[in-house]
Amino acid sequence: MCLAIPSKVIELKENNMAVVDTLGVKREASLDLLDEKAAIGDWVLLHIGYVMSKIDEESARESLRLYEQILESMQEEEEELARANQ
């Protein structure tokens, strides 16, 4: 399964690169696969260092909310396993 993570464009750089913010982590991403022009403030889907497409803010925020729920659930499971193994 492949995941594309909603990210916000926070800086445009040379060589068709951008800096995006993904759940508070800033990273560089290539815009080479994007069919349209990106702008600062755009929400995009990021997959293995490439911006794949633009998305609307509402969809981005809902996806991020779901990712955060998944991460919380995984952390709770790990804590339960750690307690059970003590």
Side-chain angles (χ1 to χ4, degrees), residues 32-61:
D32 288 341
L33 300 179
L34 188 62
D35 289 338
E36 52 192 305
K37 189 171 175 98
I40 293 173
D42 283 347
W43 284 94
V44 296
L45 290 176
L46 178 67
H47 177 65
I48 60 170
Y50 288 88
V51 170
M52 305 302 290
S53 61
K54 287 185 184 182
I55 59 172
D56 63 89
E57 184 174 359
E58 183 179 342
S59 296
R61 292 197 184 280

Side-chain angles (χ1 to χ4, degrees), residues 1-53:
M1 174 181 10
C2 297
L3 295 176
I5 303 172
S7 304
K8 189 171 189 176
V9 176
I10 59 172
E11 180 182 346
L12 297 172
K13 301 184 88 166
E14 294 179 358
N15 299 320
N16 212 28
M17 297 293 289
V19 176
V20 297
D21 183 315
T22 308
L23 294 171
V25 177
K26 294 171 180 54
R27 64 188 82 211
E28 285 193 4
S30 173
L31 299 170
D32 288 341
L33 300 179
L34 188 62
D35 289 338
E36 52 192 305
K37 189 171 175 98
I40 293 173
D42 283 347
W43 284 94
V44 296
L45 290 176
L46 178 67
H47 177 65
I48 60 170
Y50 288 88
V51 170
M52 305 302 290
S53 61

